[in-house]
Amino acid sequence: MKKLVFSILFVLQAVFVWSQHSPALKGKVVDSKTQKPLRNVVATITSTNQSALTDATGVFSFDVATEGQQTLTVGSTGYTTQTYTLSIVKGQSLDLGVVFLEEDITSEQQLSLITITENDLGDDNSGSESTAGLLQASRDTYQQAAAFNWGQARFRIRGLDNEYGTTMINGIVMNKLFDGRPQWSNWGGLNDATRNQEFTMGSAPSDYTFGNILGTQEINTRASFYRPGTRVSFSGTNSNYSWRTMATYASGMNKDGWAFVVSGSRRWAKEGYFEGTDYSANSLFASIEKKFNDKHSINFTSIYAQNSRGKNSPNTQEVTDLMGTEYNSYWGWQNGKKRNSRDKNVDEPILMLSHYWKINERNTLNTNISYQSGGIGNSRLDYNGGNNPDPTYYKNLPSYYLNLHNIPADGSLPTHTPNYAQAEIARVDFINNSQINWERMYHANDINKRSIYALYEDRMEDVTWTANSILNSQLSDNITLNAGINFRSLKSENFQKMLDPLGDYGFMDTDLFYEGNGFTAGQSQSDLNNPNRVVNAGDRYGYNYIMRAIVADAFTQFKFTYNKFDFYLAQTFSQTRYQREGLYRNGLYADNSYGKSDKLEFNNYGFKGGLTYKITGKHMLSVNAAYMTKAPMLRNAFNNARLNNSIVSGLDDEKISSVDASYIIRAPKLKARLTGFYSKIEDATKVGFFYAEGLGAIEDGGNDSENDFVAEITKNIDKQNIGLELGLEYQLSKTIKVTGSASYGQYIYSNNPTVLLNIDSRQAAGLNPIVNFGDSYLKNYRQGGMPQQAYSLGIEYRDPKFWWIGANANYLDDSYVEVDPLIRTNNFFMQPGGSGVSYPEVTEDRARQLLSQEKFDSFMLVNLTGGKSWRIHGNTLGFFASVNNIFDVTYKTGGFEQARNANYRELNMDYASGTRSFGSKYFYGYGRTYFVNVYLTF
């Protein structure tokens, strides 16, 4: 298979068509105000996969155009798309003459609101576009709703995590090899510089990659593609930051063949929407292109986007009831300032060099090399020998005393013995001391003459090299070839970094949990090669290892265009290799932590195809289908990569299948798409970490491993996503437009996966640390953390005098908490000691209640947007404003179960008072927020 794919790829690169003839359709695009020609405007015959870009003179042309009645759209970022109904006669050329594009003042919404929803930096958010092969200048109506209206509620298109989409810059894949997700903050704040984008929906074909089942987003930073001019803006908001300033300059291509673009921004806040969430981000961008002649051009792009933000805590219902939805337990006062213990810091500059070769009129080859380095750090408190400094630690809350039980030694049933007086004391004390006490930690370190409290960072420093070549060839009037080869190499250093030992004393690099209590000497050491090491600010400690990954892949794609049918076929092959190298000899895993692990290798393939039937030039039916295999993510390949080299047993490729069918209308007044979709993901693997109590079925040879910090490995996970999408817009008049979008889905776990735990204390006792808990009965539970129903209705008025106002109402429902697999295994019902005997109080009805999945309340969000622009001496001054969630609705955007109560008795007792100590933790959306932006272009 591997040899076949590469052979096809290289052989077909030699197949070129040299024929020359007059274009069947052409036109010239100019700015309606300045009358200047516009370059890189997208012209698309919507019933085909044919698209063309305007050249430096504003001219676009199609060598071949399907005869009959056709619909042509002409659009570019920042301009209102023009739609024309044409009659194409075979053998005759059609010249549209001059096409005037008007500035789209509503495009400011896209440039601004992308930043507003950026509060989920690095979290799930994704976007795509609609029909097969259509080159788009912007998202369609459904995509707009998903990104800007539903995105604030963590909506996922088709219920898919964004690791199943592909994000690219200049043909370079930006999805991380560690977890498969793009790190959006790598180019955050550079809205002007990244505005040239193309989207494909689902498995529809992209000219740049085979892609995945969520879709492809391609960001183009070629310097000559930017509209010449300068743009400066200043913004204020009450979301994740308070202020933003941004400036961009594009030169356009000069007579010597040079073009360059520079852009920069700063965003900052002393405190964002949630308490204690500081924010600081600085972004710089430069792109320089040299055009040597009509065939060869080289472009260099550099992106530097540094971001630091304070996180906000997920909270249980008890904590929220006491403190409110904006409460954040991660910060505390220090010297009169709020200091957050959980900062995320991102600093990963990107360098890209691209060569564009126009071989002839029908063949182009784009070759790219990319280098990215830098790191991501997530800080938190270490308390090695001290009490947990988290103010929401369960012993600090009233529920701890309300859920007290007496458990008789004779095995009889527990009795509920709440201490109401102590619970009231705890309530008052928590309200008065609800934040981290930094001074107390400094004082404790002084008393102990060593650092028992410290602030550290889980740090990942990566070096990624990427090289690829992408061929686009018009093999004949009806056949187009896209092909590419791609190589990526990652070296990722992962370690704990001491940020602040909170005083003048060093921090001992040992784990006091494994000192004494029957543990052997040395088991507490993080690195036996350097025992009893004292670390200070800037030192590495705790864990230290390197992950290496190499991925090579290739794809070919053929697109066929005919009068009534278009179809495409694509195939891909990839090889993935992983290896861990431990730099510390851990005291628990002395023989399996230092040095290199076994190598992991995965060979994967994929096929996809699609068909578009053109009922008329305005009405189409489209079907896409895909099947592929995918290597597990690097983060899920090892049982506990921080401490040892152990590979997940029986690790397998994911199997991914997808099909969708759409009915599409592209008329001058009405644009609509109705899509039904189905996807299946099989044999997925997930690794998570938490502290569990009551792991009853475990025998540990003497050490108490019923309560322990564990790595939870869930294997062979199957997910099934099925649903409908609708997006439509109707131009009621020249000034009024109505839009509607809907998504109805059912996203479930479709099997019972296997759960294993990696338990460190079993390793300390000389036992196998991996315990197989068997099947987790997850089948038909909903996938959590996203609405599975979403509906939007909007209206927009655009005045001829360049002001506009819009409103939309959004209803979201069917959002569920993310369930944990461990408490849905048979072990959940078993008493300690491995006897296999269940708890005597177990009943089927109560078990169903305890294990039922929590569904969040539905909610309605209403948003208002508007803007105005003025033309002053050839320059544009404008402003944009929005108010989201104008009725200040409180709603949950997601949450997860805590699996600390790992058996029936523990969990049942936690419900005794009606206020749980270890209830699910929730994330909340913003209340009423605003965004105001003033900009000037000249």
Side-chain angles (χ1 to χ4, degrees):
M1 174 63 70
K2 180 178 177 182
K3 293 181 179 179
L4 176 61
V5 171
F6 278 98
S7 298
I8 293 173
L9 175 64
F10 288 113
V11 169
L12 288 175
Q13 288 189 54
V15 182
F16 302 128
V17 178
W18 304 90
S19 60
Q20 304 271 339
H21 53 78
S22 299
L25 174 63
K26 70 176 183 177
K28 181 176 181 177
V29 183
V30 301
D31 186 296
S32 63
K33 293 180 180 178
T34 66
Q35 304 297 305
K36 292 181 179 179
L38 295 175
R39 186 172 186 170
N40 298 316
V41 175
V42 181
T44 302
I45 301 174
T46 60
S47 63
T48 73
N49 64 1
Q50 293 176 278
S51 298
L53 293 175
T54 58
D55 59 20
T57 65
V59 174
F60 67 87
S61 62
F62 293 88
D63 291 335
V64 178
T66 304
E67 63 181 290
Q69 190 180 61
Q70 302 293 343
T71 300
L72 176 76
T73 63
V74 181
S76 180
T77 304
Y79 288 91
T80 302
T81 299
Q82 296 278 47
T83 302
Y84 300 91
T85 300
L86 309 175
S87 181
I88 305 295
V89 179
K90 186 175 182 179
Q92 296 184 14
S93 297
L94 179 60
D95 188 346
L96 296 181
V98 178
V99 175
F100 296 96
L101 288 190
E102 295 182 354
E103 179 190 2
D104 180 8
I105 57 176
T106 66
S107 65
E108 190 63 27
Q109 178 182 12
Q110 295 187 35
L111 291 176
S112 301
L113 293 189
I114 287 176
T115 305
I116 286 182
T117 59
E118 192 187 17
N119 60 298
D120 288 331
L121 288 174
D123 295 339
D124 299 333
N125 191 11
S126 52
S128 309
E129 180 42 36
S130 54
T131 59
L134 300 182
L135 184 65
Q136 297 292 334
S138 63
R139 296 174 171 92
D140 68 3
T141 302
Y142 176 84
Q143 289 291 324
Q144 295 277 3
F148 304 130
N149 299 332
W150 305 336
Q152 57 195 309
R154 295 182 184 240
F155 176 80
R156 296 183 194 172
I157 294 172
R158 300 187 181 180
L160 295 169
D161 187 284
N162 58 13
E163 71 172 275
Y164 296 101
T166 303
T167 299
M168 312 179 81
I169 299 180
N170 300 335
I172 297 290
V173 175
M174 301 307 298
N175 299 59
K176 294 285 189 179
L177 288 171
F178 175 70
D179 61 6
R181 299 168 180 164
Q183 182 64 238
W184 303 107
S185 53
N186 284 162
W187 53 92
L190 296 170
N191 306 56
D192 290 340
T194 57
R195 65 190 298 174
N196 297 322
Q197 300 187 16
E198 299 172 27
F199 303 88
T200 59
M201 187 65 169
S203 60
S206 165
D207 291 348
Y208 307 94
T209 180
F210 182 85
N212 209 312
I213 61 171
L214 179 56
T216 302
Q217 177 184 18
E218 158 68 6
I219 301 171
N220 193 316
T221 65
R222 187 173 178 180
S224 62
F225 276 31
Y226 291 80
R227 193 193 326 166
T230 302
R231 173 188 170 90
V232 294
S233 64
F234 186 79
S235 309
T237 180
N238 66 332
S239 55
N240 55 323
Y241 60 84
S242 299
W243 306 103
R244 183 192 75 184
T245 181
M246 183 164 56
T248 303
Y249 171 74
S251 69
M253 184 68 72
N254 66 23
K255 63 180 181 180
D256 295 322
W258 287 95
F260 67 91
V261 181
V262 291
S263 184
S265 78
R266 171 158 173 76
R267 293 160 291 156
W268 70 98
K270 292 183 67 175
E271 184 172 65
Y273 182 85
F274 295 99
E275 297 174 359
T277 52
D278 55 299
Y279 193 102
S280 177
N282 300 286
S283 304
L284 296 171
F285 170 92
S287 181
I288 303 172
E289 181 177 356
K290 171 59 178 175
K291 181 180 179 181
F292 295 98
N293 50 48
D294 290 340
K295 291 183 177 293
H296 294 279
S297 182
I298 289 180
N299 193 92
F300 174 75
T301 297
S302 60
I303 301 173
Y304 174 76
Q306 171 272 330
N307 186 291
S308 177
R309 65 182 179 101
K311 296 181 182 179
N312 60 286
S313 59
N315 298 315
T316 62
Q317 191 63 52
E318 177 187 20
V319 172
T320 300
D321 290 342
L322 290 170
M323 302 301 299
T325 58
E326 296 175 25
Y327 169 70
N328 179 13
S329 67
Y330 291 160
W331 68 272
W333 292 101
Q334 184 178 358
N335 299 326
K337 296 182 180 180
K338 291 182 177 180
R339 184 181 185 183
N340 196 312
S341 65
R342 297 283 189 100
D343 279 341
K344 180 174 183 178
N345 296 286
V346 180
D347 187 358
E348 298 184 296
I350 304 169
L351 302 175
M352 292 182 177
L353 184 64
S354 302
H355 174 243
Y356 301 93
W357 179 17
K358 185 178 180 181
I359 302 171
N360 54 43
E361 290 300 320
R362 294 197 169 195
N363 299 278
T364 62
L365 185 67
N366 172 211
T367 301
N368 307 281
I369 298 175
S370 171
Y371 172 79
Q372 183 176 17
S373 63
I376 300 174
N378 291 278
S379 67
R380 61 188 304 160
L381 289 168
D382 202 338
Y383 48 98
N384 197 18
N387 295 322
N388 191 331
D390 183 356
T392 62
Y393 181 58
Y394 75 103
K395 291 186 179 180
N396 297 334
L397 297 171
S399 59
Y400 174 71
Y401 301 97
L402 295 175
N403 292 322
L404 290 175
H405 283 75
N406 178 41
I407 305 177
D410 61 6
S412 57
L413 297 181
T415 56
H416 184 207
T417 57
N419 187 332
Y420 294 106
Q422 192 61 45
E424 177 60 18
I425 293 172
R427 185 188 71 83
V428 173
D429 187 62
F430 173 70
I431 291 174
N432 293 330
N433 300 279
S434 56
Q435 304 304 145
I436 289 173
N437 192 323
W438 291 97
E439 292 182 2
R440 183 183 297 170
M441 289 187 288
Y442 277 91
H443 184 62
N445 288 350
D446 286 337
I447 291 176
N448 286 275
K449 303 302 181 184
R450 68 182 180 92
S451 178
I452 60 175
Y453 292 100
L455 184 70
Y456 74 93
E457 189 175 51
D458 289 311
R459 189 151 186 87
M460 178 186 299
E461 293 189 352
D462 292 355
V463 173
T464 304
W465 285 94
T466 305
N468 69 9
S469 280
I470 303 168
L471 172 72
N472 290 286
S473 179
Q474 189 75 41
L475 298 179
S476 71
D477 291 347
N478 305 105
I479 305 173
T480 303
L481 165 69
N482 308 118
I485 54 174
N486 183 67
F487 174 84
R488 286 195 288 169
S489 172
L490 168 69
K491 178 185 177 182
S492 178
E493 297 185 41
N494 298 261
F495 53 91
Q496 264 182 251
K497 178 182 178 181
M498 177 60 68
L499 296 178
D500 185 353
L502 304 184
D504 299 326
Y505 303 96
F507 188 91
M508 182 67 72
D509 188 15
T510 60
D511 188 342
L512 293 182
F513 181 83
Y514 295 107
E515 287 191 4
N517 299 318
F519 296 106
T520 62
Q523 289 183 328
S524 65
Q525 298 292 327
S526 295
D527 184 12
L528 289 171
N529 294 335
N530 294 280
N532 298 317
R533 193 165 61 101
V534 177
V535 297
N536 295 292
D539 291 342
R540 300 185 183 191
Y541 78 107
Y543 64 87
N544 189 9
Y545 63 96
I546 296 172
M547 291 288 229
R548 290 184 172 87
I550 294 176
V551 178
D553 63 84
F555 85 99
T556 57
Q557 177 175 272
F558 296 89
K559 295 185 288 189
F560 303 83
T561 305
Y562 297 98
N563 288 344
K564 298 295 289 184
F565 290 94
D566 297 338
F567 65 95
Y568 69 92
L569 297 169
Q571 46 281 316
T572 186
F573 179 85
S574 65
Q575 186 176 83
T576 303
R577 295 179 180 177
Y578 297 148
Q579 188 174 40
R580 178 191 186 272
E581 180 182 1
L583 303 180
Y584 285 177
R585 188 183 300 279
N586 183 267
L588 291 176
Y589 299 92
D591 298 325
N592 188 32
S593 55
Y594 185 71
K596 294 182 179 180
S597 72
D598 293 337
K599 290 182 179 179
L600 284 164
E601 182 174 315
F602 304 92
N603 294 305
N604 299 104
Y605 60 91
F607 300 94
K608 69 178 183 179
L611 172 70
T612 299
Y613 172 61
K614 293 163 276 188
I615 303 170
T616 68
K618 301 176 184 177
H619 299 263
M620 293 175 285
L621 294 174
S622 177
V623 178
N624 301 282
Y627 178 81
M628 65 190 75
T629 64
K630 172 175 166 286
M633 290 296 102
L634 184 57
R635 65 170 296 171
N636 296 320
F638 293 84
N639 292 325
N640 187 353
R642 291 186 175 185
L643 300 185
N644 61 63
N645 282 333
S646 296
I647 296 165
V648 172
S649 175
L651 191 63
D652 202 359
D653 298 311
E654 289 186 24
K655 286 82 175 175
I656 303 169
S657 53
S658 173
V659 63
D660 63 66
S662 300
Y663 173 60
I664 304 157
I665 300 174
R666 300 266 178 161
K669 285 193 173 184
L670 175 64
K671 296 178 178 63
R673 173 173 62 85
L674 175 63
T675 301
F677 62 87
Y678 170 87
S679 65
K680 185 72 175 288
I681 298 169
E682 300 174 281
D683 295 328
T685 302
K686 182 179 179 181
V687 178
F689 301 88
F690 58 88
Y691 190 86
E693 294 182 351
L695 301 172
I698 300 171
E699 298 180 23
D700 60 7
N703 289 315
D704 178 16
S705 63
E706 284 189 38
N707 307 328
D708 207 342
F709 185 80
V710 301
E712 180 186 55
I713 303 133
T714 311
K715 294 171 47 183
N716 309 123
I717 305 170
D718 292 356
K719 301 178 183 180
Q720 176 184 288
N721 295 14
I722 187 169
L724 293 170
E725 298 169 341
L726 173 66
L728 60 86
E729 66 175 64
Y730 185 75
Q731 199 75 39
L732 282 174
S733 68
K734 196 170 183 179
T735 57
I736 300 175
K737 181 172 68 176
V738 177
T739 60
S741 299
S743 179
Y744 181 88
Q746 185 186 71
Y747 314 138
I748 63 171
Y749 294 99
S750 56
N751 77 326
N752 297 322
T754 302
V755 174
L756 302 92
L757 295 188
N758 187 110
I759 304 172
D760 295 334
S761 59
R762 285 179 57 84
Q763 173 73 21
L767 302 173
N768 183 356
I770 304 297
V771 178
N772 189 337
F773 279 71
D775 290 343
S776 174
Y777 298 100
L778 287 186
K779 187 173 183 179
N780 293 324
Y781 276 91
R782 297 291 187 110
Q783 299 171 41
M786 59 187 160
Q788 302 195 12
Q789 291 189 54
Y791 307 92
S792 180
L793 181 64
I795 187 168
E796 178 186 295
Y797 173 80
R798 300 192 191 195
D799 193 271
K801 295 183 179 179
F802 300 103
W803 65 270
W804 69 282
I805 188 169
N808 59 76
N810 306 275
Y811 176 81
L812 298 110
D813 197 6
D814 270 6
S815 188
Y816 296 82
V817 75
E818 184 62 60
V819 296
D820 189 88
L822 176 62
I823 62 175
R824 289 167 177 84
T825 63
N826 288 329
N827 178 77
F828 176 73
F829 300 99
M830 300 298 135
Q831 296 190 54
S835 64
V837 178
S838 64
Y839 288 101
E841 66 267 33
V842 172
T843 67
E844 182 177 346
D845 288 343
R846 185 56 177 162
R848 289 185 182 276
Q849 292 175 356
L850 294 176
L851 300 179
S852 64
Q853 186 175 18
E854 180 185 357
K855 180 182 178 182
F856 299 151
D857 293 336
S858 61
F859 55 94
M860 175 83 76
L861 301 177
V862 178
N863 307 321
L864 291 176
T865 57
K868 167 71 175 168
S869 71
W870 297 267
R871 196 74 174 172
I872 305 173
H873 303 299
N875 305 320
T876 300
L877 173 67
F879 79 89
F880 165 81
S882 70
V883 181
N884 278 9
N885 190 8
I886 62 175
F887 297 115
D888 201 22
V889 174
T890 298
Y891 61 96
K892 295 172 181 174
T893 62
F896 57 91
E897 291 180 341
Q898 295 191 78
R900 180 160 182 151
N901 297 131
N903 65 49
Y904 180 96
R905 176 170 288 177
E906 297 271 0
L907 186 57
N908 196 34
M909 291 191 300
D910 197 38
Y911 277 91
S913 70
T915 302
R916 295 187 60 193
S917 297
F918 299 106
S920 296
K921 289 195 171 184
Y922 305 111
F923 298 96
Y924 289 86
Y926 292 148
R928 185 185 301 111
T929 59
Y930 67 86
F931 184 92
V932 178
N933 183 55
V934 179
Y935 62 94
L936 176 67
T937 61
F938 55 94

